[in-house]
């Protein structure tokens, strides 16, 4: 069994600052669970275009508000505490922070290794292979 305390992740190499998000990786590929598990903070008013071309992602909002725009359809969906979005088609999307910072709990399949880079378009590229 593993126990991970968020306070041990904050300020460690498992806390990653993105262009306009902060992500704390509680589980990475090396933890052997078959998925990675993150908490991501999206500041109020932030806007970012993201595309995880190599990963599926499920995201569950536990605080704050914002929206996600599906760039394939143009549909915009409100996000608030209790809403999950699943990027099951490697969906290109725009994430927008609302009036209160969003706290998102995310799972990635395949698991993020922690060595990926984020391309300008927000997609992951595995650095190795
Ligand atoms: C909600 C969301 O897309 N989280 C981003 C995770 C971040 N790209 C990471 O690398 O941990």
């Amino acid at each position: 069994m593993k126990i991970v305390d968020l306070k041990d992740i904050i300020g460690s190499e498992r806390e990653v600052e993105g262009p306009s998000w902060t992500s704390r990786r509680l589980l990475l590929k090396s933890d052997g669970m078959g998925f990675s598990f993150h908490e991501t903070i999206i500041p109020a008013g932030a806007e970012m275009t993201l595309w995880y071309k190599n990963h599926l992602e499920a995201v569950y909002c536990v605080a704050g508000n914002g929206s996600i725009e599906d760039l394939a359809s143009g549909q915009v969906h409100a996000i608030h505490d209790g809403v999950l979005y699943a990027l099951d088609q490697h969906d290109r999307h725009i994430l927008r922070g609302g009036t209160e910072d969003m706290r998102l709990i995310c799972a990635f399949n395949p698991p993020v290794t922690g060595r990926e880079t984020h391309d300008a378009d927000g997609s992951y590229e595995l650095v190795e292979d």
Side-chain angles (χ1 to χ4, degrees), residues 14-107:
R14 287 191 175 211
E15 183 176 49
V16 172
E17 294 295 335
S20 44
W21 44 260
T22 300
S23 191
R24 288 99 182 229
R25 282 91 173 262
L26 290 98
L27 294 174
L28 288 169
K29 181 175 182 179
S30 56
D31 292 306
M33 290 292 289
F35 57 88
S36 56
F37 198 83
H38 314 216
E39 173 196 76
T40 304
I41 305 299
I42 306 289
E47 177 169 316
M48 63 209 79
T49 300
L50 294 166
W51 177 34
Y52 298 117
K53 60 185 172 187
N54 303 316
H55 296 79
L56 299 174
E57 185 190 21
V59 183
Y60 182 63
C61 181
V62 295
N65 57 57
S67 67
I68 182 168
E69 180 175 350
D70 179 344
L71 289 174
S73 66
Q75 275 193 302
V76 178
H77 306 276
I79 303 173
H80 52 78
D81 184 359
V83 169
L84 174 139
Y85 62 87
L87 301 175
D88 59 343
Q89 306 294 322
H90 301 281
D91 312 78
R92 290 173 187 257
H93 57 287
I94 299 176
L95 206 46
R96 295 183 174 93
T99 54
E100 289 172 46
D101 293 1
M102 270 195 290
R103 187 164 173 230
L104 304 174
I105 306 305
C106 330

